[in-house]
Amino acid sequence: MGEDISGTTFTRADHAKYRAKIRRCLDTLEAMLDAGVFVEDEWRTGLEIELGLAGADMRPFHRNAEVLERIADPLYQTELGKFTIELNVEPRRIDGQSLEQLEAALRHNLNRARDRAGDAGAELVMVGILPTLPAPPAGRSWFTESDRYVALDEAIMNSRREDITLRINGPEPLSLTMDSIIAEAACTSTQLHLQVTPRRYADYWNASQLLAGPQLVMGANSPYLFGHHLQAETRVETFLQATDTRSVELRNQGVRPRVFFGDRWITSIFDLFEENVRYFPALLPVSSDEDPAAVLAAGDTPSLAELRLHNGTVYRWNRPIYDVQDGRPHLRVENRVLPAGPSVLDTLANAAFFYGMVVELVTDERPLWSRMSFDGARENFHAAARYGIDARLYWPGLGEVSGTELVLDTLLPMAARGLERLGVDAPVAGKYLDIIEARARLRRNGATWQVAAVEAYEGRGKDRRDALHLMLADYVRNMNGGDPVHTWNVPT
């Protein structure tokens, strides 16, 4: 959602100044790429997990400020909805036993936070969409109190000049009109970061785009929204529509949405930042006092504040990240495809699967994306969001195949080779990839388990509302138990 800001009203002069500043940032980034000033270290990872908050009754818990005060850890932050928070996990290299160390650190951190949240009466839930969320009320009563979120809401709604109507197909289609972007708050994700060098950035981003469909086949975990059974990963369509600045007429003209898969394979990270500036008007035109070109000329590292803020309001599923650490700039791919959950072990399995595949893909002398249209990758992504574990995907050399067949026969061996290339210990790699294999063989992920559990409770005579609450209570117990989702029992 971008950096913290002060105030919610912007003038025409603010927009003009911001446009000039962001162009200067873009020119400075180009100069930095040409000069080779970036950190050349690769294969460092970070992790962000957005968490839902539920009360003991499994209803949404709307007091994130109180929960954060009790957790008292700067790694936790607010999100748009009062019923969500975010955990940022410190970066580390991917090698040896680092994935198991990350798992242990994440378990310890979440257990501590869960205990402290429990003192406020809240439960932390790793799930793509909190399934017990009712349809939102009018206004901003669900919003976290922050100028940033109010300003973003005003900018998007003023751009649209009309209310948002969510129209999502599925077994129980949803049509709901809202006067704010609050439906975006329903979407909680796992964000995987991978630090790479500028010269190889395009390969890593292209590979990540290619893998977005397979990631969702295995990781879908958002089948319910506002009581409706919709798509395996309903979060994808919800996020797209809830932040859409376009009127119907602009959509008909082919104007790009801010939740953006992309248009083409790229040749440089610069392509992505340039597209952001060229195609997307500023939502939060907050200008800093920094002259980035002057900072660079003086031998220092510019923050590129305007470029980074703007980048935070273009919601690519694989987002380019420019950041500065210890005075040195570096670049990351931020993979935003996956929902949160279902468990810590599932989260680490998803991460290992992604990192292994993407690292192995970029070693191919004839890159796989050179044998596949970009439209094909985008269609795979949307098919996986709709159908999850049942999706069929196109893959070069194979044609159209079931997603699980693609994972078992092609992608798991690829991921194993990639993790070996990273130096991950073989037993560690096997531990996490075995979870992906079991999901594929059993055809069971978070989405399929949620639907099966709800149907079981409805088969006992429970109505939808009660079935969702009972399912979520089971989900939280299983999640806290720590076992991966493919082992969870469905109520009988």
Side-chain angles (χ1 to χ4, degrees):
M1 284 297 180
E3 304 293 336
D4 285 333
I5 66 171
S6 177
T8 62
T9 303
F10 303 103
T11 66
R12 290 192 293 269
D14 290 330
H15 282 271
K17 180 181 179 181
Y18 189 81
R19 177 175 284 111
K21 283 295 298 288
I22 203 170
R23 289 298 316 183
R24 194 158 178 81
C25 286
L26 191 63
D27 292 342
T28 303
L29 175 65
E30 185 173 29
M32 294 172 73
L33 291 167
D34 290 342
V37 301
F38 286 90
V39 171
E40 289 291 316
D41 191 21
E42 284 195 317
W43 301 344
R44 290 180 63 82
T45 179
L47 182 67
E48 300 172 54
I49 303 175
E50 295 166 347
L51 303 164
L53 300 176
D57 58 2
M58 293 297 110
R59 294 177 181 175
F61 187 88
H62 288 264
R63 304 204 307 269
N64 61 359
E66 181 182 351
V67 169
L68 290 174
E69 184 177 358
R70 290 179 181 273
I71 293 174
D73 185 336
L75 294 178
Y76 288 84
Q77 301 174 357
T78 61
E79 277 292 321
L80 173 62
K82 289 180 178 178
F83 49 87
T84 53
I85 59 174
E86 179 179 90
L87 166 62
N88 294 276
V89 181
E90 295 176 340
R92 63 190 68 210
R93 287 198 63 81
I94 314 173
D95 56 17
Q97 298 181 352
S98 63
L99 290 173
E100 279 197 326
Q101 293 163 0
L102 177 59
E103 179 192 340
L106 186 55
R107 285 185 188 278
H108 175 77
N109 195 312
L110 284 170
N111 286 339
R112 174 185 170 277
R114 180 196 173 208
D115 289 343
R116 297 197 173 189
D119 292 339
E123 181 69 66
L124 306 182
V125 188
M126 291 193 297
V127 67
I129 293 175
L130 197 64
T132 56
L133 272 175
R140 297 185 180 131
S141 63
W142 280 13
F143 276 55
T144 296
E145 294 180 8
S146 167
D147 284 352
R148 172 176 41 152
Y149 301 130
V150 172
L152 188 69
D153 182 60
E154 289 184 351
I156 290 176
M157 299 307 295
N158 289 341
S159 295
R160 291 178 57 87
R161 297 186 177 89
E162 59 189 53
D163 288 345
I164 294 171
T165 299
L166 288 183
R167 291 190 177 92
I168 303 177
N169 293 325
E172 299 166 0
L174 172 68
S175 180
L176 180 66
T177 299
M178 298 169 298
D179 63 356
S180 77
I181 65 170
I182 193 58
E184 189 279 328
C187 306
T188 43
S189 66
T190 298
Q191 296 155 27
L192 305 174
H193 290 247
L194 185 63
Q195 181 177 312
V196 299
T197 63
R199 68 182 174 81
R200 303 189 73 191
Y201 191 94
D203 289 343
Y204 278 99
W205 188 85
N206 290 338
S208 299
Q209 292 287 97
L210 191 68
L211 295 171
Q215 280 185 279
L216 281 189
V217 167
M218 301 313 301
N221 193 30
S222 311
Y224 294 100
L225 177 65
F226 306 146
H228 290 246
H229 176 200
L230 296 168
Q231 302 181 1
E233 192 49 42
T234 305
R235 175 179 135 269
V236 168
E237 195 63 28
T238 304
F239 197 14
L240 168 67
Q241 295 187 33
T243 58
D244 199 347
T245 57
R246 305 169 301 168
S247 64
V248 172
E249 293 79 10
L250 291 179
R251 291 199 296 273
N252 291 340
Q253 292 174 40
V255 172
R256 296 159 180 81
R258 295 193 87 94
V259 174
F260 188 40
F261 187 82
D263 288 331
R264 60 190 173 101
W265 307 120
I266 64 168
T267 59
S268 167
I269 189 174
F270 186 79
D271 295 348
L272 301 176
F273 283 109
E274 186 180 39
E275 284 181 352
N276 287 356
V277 174
R278 180 187 303 168
Y279 296 146
F280 299 100
L283 292 180
L284 305 174
V286 180
S287 297
S288 69
D289 294 330
E290 178 187 77
D291 181 340
V295 172
L296 182 63
D300 293 325
T301 301
S303 69
L304 305 185
E306 291 79 11
L307 193 70
R308 292 165 70 185
L309 177 59
H310 187 58
N311 188 51
T313 63
V314 180
Y315 308 111
R316 294 178 183 271
W317 293 106
N318 284 292
R319 177 187 276 169
I321 299 293
Y322 166 91
D323 208 351
V324 180
Q325 186 172 18
D326 299 327
R328 299 195 64 195
H330 68 263
L331 303 174
R332 303 194 304 269
V333 177
E334 182 188 39
N335 178 262
R336 302 161 53 83
V337 169
L338 291 167
S343 69
V344 169
L345 201 48
D346 285 304
T347 299
L348 268 294
N350 289 339
F353 186 50
F354 171 71
Y355 290 135
M357 288 189 296
V358 75
V359 165
E360 187 63 17
L361 270 179
V362 302
T363 65
D364 197 336
E365 292 184 1
R366 188 188 173 201
L368 202 61
W369 52 90
S370 70
R371 292 175 267 159
M372 181 173 181
S373 71
F374 193 87
D375 285 346
R378 180 168 46 223
E379 289 165 7
N380 280 351
F381 175 66
H382 288 295
R386 286 192 297 273
Y387 304 115
I389 208 85
D390 295 323
R392 295 185 63 81
L393 308 180
Y394 173 82
W395 202 255
L398 299 177
E400 185 179 287
V401 295
S402 76
T404 52
E405 178 185 341
L406 176 64
V407 168
L408 291 169
D409 296 344
T410 302
L411 299 184
L412 275 170
M414 180 191 299
R417 293 193 299 271
L419 293 176
E420 182 180 11
R421 192 180 300 277
L422 285 167
V424 175
D425 291 351
V428 175
K431 168 184 173 180
Y432 296 117
L433 295 185
D434 284 351
I435 292 171
I436 302 297
E437 179 179 4
R439 274 193 227 152
R441 292 198 184 282
L442 294 172
R443 303 179 66 81
R444 184 181 302 163
N445 57 19
T448 64
W449 183 89
Q450 287 190 53
V451 171
V454 167
E455 290 178 348
Y457 280 119
E458 289 180 333
R460 295 184 189 178
K462 303 295 184 182
D463 63 18
R464 173 58 54 82
R465 177 185 173 279
D466 287 345
L468 287 170
H469 283 71
L470 289 166
M471 178 273 285
L472 185 58
D474 290 344
Y475 183 105
V476 169
R477 282 192 293 271
N478 285 314
M479 179 195 75
N480 289 331
D483 292 330
V485 71
H486 72 271
T487 68
W488 294 4
N489 290 326
V490 174
T492 56

